[in-house]
Amino acid sequence: MEHKKLHIVLHAHLPFVLGHGKWPHGNHWLCEAVVHCYLPLIKVLEQLPQHRLACSVVLTPVLCEQLQNTECLSVVKEFCQQQLLTLQEPCDEQERYWAQFYQSRLEQLESASTILSHFVELRKKGVIQVLTCAATHAYLPLLGLDGSIALQYWCARQQYQHVFGDVPVAAWVPECAVRPNYSWCSWLPDTGFNTPRYRKGVLQLLQEQGILATVVEQDTLLHSEGYNRANTLRPGIVHADNQHSLLVYGRHSNASWQVWSSVFGYPGDFNYLEFHKRSEGSGIRKWRITGEATSLDEKQLYSPTQAQHTASVHADNWVSTLSQVLQSEHGEAELTVAFDAELFGHWWHEGPTFLERVVDNIAKTSLTVQPLGDACNSAISICDVHESSWGDQGNHNTWMNEQTYWLWQRLYQLEIAVRAFVQSEAKNAPARVTAQVLRELMLAQASDWPFLITQGDAKEYAEQRFHCHEQDALKLMRLAKEDMNSALKQANRCFEQNPVFGFLEEELSDALASFLNEPADAGL
């Protein structure tokens, strides 16, 4: 299968929850992701030989900040120890399975200084390519300032250099959400952005930060101006100018959906672990899905052996599907599949086993997994991509709707206030104060807050987190005008609560230059 390439992308992300609550959405949320997803994936990947690329992993900067924090390591160890305490005397097959599972995770934690160090080593080994992302996973097309997008990716680039020692080649766009360049305005009232003005496209702003490759939805690429739909498995390439070009890979909908969907895909198999039912005593999951319409009371006991066998069968089937898709394309072809990493292990417990079998099976075929951003002679030149996301109906409604209008109005007003502060007051303020204002703005911009509000599962938590970051930024700017000593004390308190992007103070002038990056005719 000459000139047939496969890209497997796992997008790992959590908003900054470390120290912001214990259960269910603070530390507990982080522990669940680390123990059930990241550590099992690390274990699978560590068993591979050097320089056999298994996948590309997106580690969002805000997730990296948590995984490299020693407090995170302590919290996750305590979580595993607590789980083992409830399983001191396992009385059945399921409890024995979980006792062994948590003991294995605890042993993994003992061997590293931080959780992030595992990923650093895997990248050095050549087993994974690491992609960056917008610093706090902001929903980029709806941000009011191009400077906000530029700051998000400038910060991501700097953090990547601090952690991995070089610059990122490829970057993920949060929620696969993009917008081309055009005359933009907000139709929400009283935002400060109600007059149309020229905006750069999201991909253009990525290019300006030196990013060479990204991923969008396949339909987004297919409907881009200039794309030849007769070659559906070729990336597009956007040429912004003579110095910047960007490879754009289309996430293959059907091949991804097989793994993604709990209704039509593999994760809904009746042998797999039921996510929603837990034991009243130990709190562990002991049952399998059992049936499509089976009530929780009628669930049958989970068999780890049977579930692992099922995962192997599904892995065989999926690799066969990937091969068939690539073979169906004449000439050069590149197939890209992408998923939230948390699907593997957290939502779909058997996901890491499935991925392990997939990697093993691919090694026995002529398929090769390639990193994003490699030189590509088959890329099709496109002008830009149309406005879209991987949300419901492919638009922005999952993040902007009647439940979240208020959030976007306040976020727009905060962007304008921070820009005014940077232009007028920042030169007189200590670097810690200005840097913390930028941190709080970026943390308030996380796409997680409007998403969780829309979904409803953690609505109050998301509202509270947005409100706190917004109010901390506003308070810092007010104190900087009234009492600089108080402002500095407040900035230090805020950083203790949100210890992210600690390099900002030393590189503040570059950060501010990125934030003030607006087109000359933007009208600001």
Side-chain angles (χ1 to χ4, degrees), residues 23-39:
W23 188 91
H25 302 298
N27 289 351
H28 186 83
W29 192 358
L30 179 60
C31 290
E32 286 272 342
V34 170
V35 172
H36 291 272
C37 172
Y38 306 148
L39 290 177

Side-chain angles (χ1 to χ4, degrees), residues 295-315:
S295 68
L296 291 180
D297 291 339
E298 297 175 320
K299 299 290 183 181
Q300 297 177 7
L301 287 174
Y302 176 68
S303 168
T305 303
Q306 183 60 46
Q308 289 171 8
H309 171 73
T310 302
S312 296
V313 172
H314 286 156

Side-chain angles (χ1 to χ4, degrees), residues 270-508:
F270 299 161
N271 287 322
Y272 288 147
L273 188 70
E274 169 61 54
F275 181 82
H276 296 97
K277 183 174 182 178
R278 292 176 180 267
S279 167
E280 290 185 7
S282 62
I284 67 166
R285 300 183 181 99
K286 301 174 67 171
W287 294 269
R288 62 186 181 91
I289 295 172
T290 306
E292 185 176 348
T294 306
S295 68
L296 291 180
D297 291 339
E298 297 175 320
K299 299 290 183 181
Q300 297 177 7
L301 287 174
Y302 176 68
S303 168
T305 303
Q306 183 60 46
Q308 289 171 8
H309 171 73
T310 302
S312 296
V313 172
H314 286 156
D316 292 345
N317 178 261
W318 195 53
V319 171
S320 175
T321 297
L322 297 178
S323 181
Q324 290 171 15
V325 171
L326 278 167
Q327 286 175 335
S328 68
E329 188 82 2
H330 297 295
E332 296 188 19
E334 300 196 28
L335 175 61
T336 302
V337 288
F339 316 94
D340 281 342
E342 292 77 21
L343 168 69
F344 297 89
H346 179 62
W347 299 109
W348 178 19
H349 177 67
E350 298 78 11
T353 299
F354 169 85
L355 187 63
E356 181 179 13
R357 302 293 190 271
V358 165
V359 172
D360 286 344
N361 289 348
I362 286 174
K364 300 171 186 174
T365 71
S366 55
L367 287 172
T368 58
V369 179
Q370 298 289 326
L372 299 175
D374 268 9
C376 179
N377 297 322
S378 64
I380 300 170
S381 183
I382 59 176
C383 297
D384 204 340
V385 293
H386 76 277
E387 197 156 354
S388 60
S389 76
W390 73 357
D392 186 35
Q393 301 177 36
N395 56 32
H396 304 318
N397 290 350
T398 300
W399 296 270
M400 180 179 276
N401 51 65
E402 290 183 354
Q403 297 181 74
T404 64
Y405 289 158
W406 65 270
L407 181 150
W408 285 101
Q409 284 179 306
R410 284 165 55 176
L411 187 55
Y412 289 146
Q413 291 162 4
L414 182 61
E415 281 185 282
I416 291 173
V418 173
R419 180 178 169 84
F421 171 79
V422 166
Q423 290 176 316
S424 62
E425 306 293 333
K427 60 181 177 294
N428 300 317
R432 168 52 61 90
V433 173
T434 303
Q436 195 60 38
V437 169
L438 295 181
R439 287 188 187 99
E440 298 298 340
L441 172 64
M442 287 191 286
L443 288 164
Q445 291 171 336
S447 71
D448 308 270
W449 312 141
F451 176 82
L452 291 170
I453 291 169
T454 300
Q455 296 300 308
D457 294 339
K459 182 174 182 288
E460 291 182 2
Y461 181 81
E463 291 174 343
Q464 175 204 19
R465 291 297 308 281
F466 171 80
H467 177 78
C468 287
H469 295 305
E470 175 208 30
Q471 292 303 308
D472 282 342
L474 293 172
K475 184 176 182 179
L476 280 168
M477 291 186 288
R478 176 176 56 80
L479 288 175
K481 296 178 181 179
E482 299 172 356
D483 182 352
M484 201 61 75
N485 287 333
S486 296
L488 187 56
K489 290 179 182 177
Q490 176 66 15
N492 287 331
R493 283 194 292 269
C494 289
F495 186 73
E496 287 178 6
Q497 294 170 350
N498 304 290
V500 297
F501 316 132
F503 52 82
L504 269 175
E505 281 80 358
E506 291 185 3
E507 303 173 38
L508 188 58

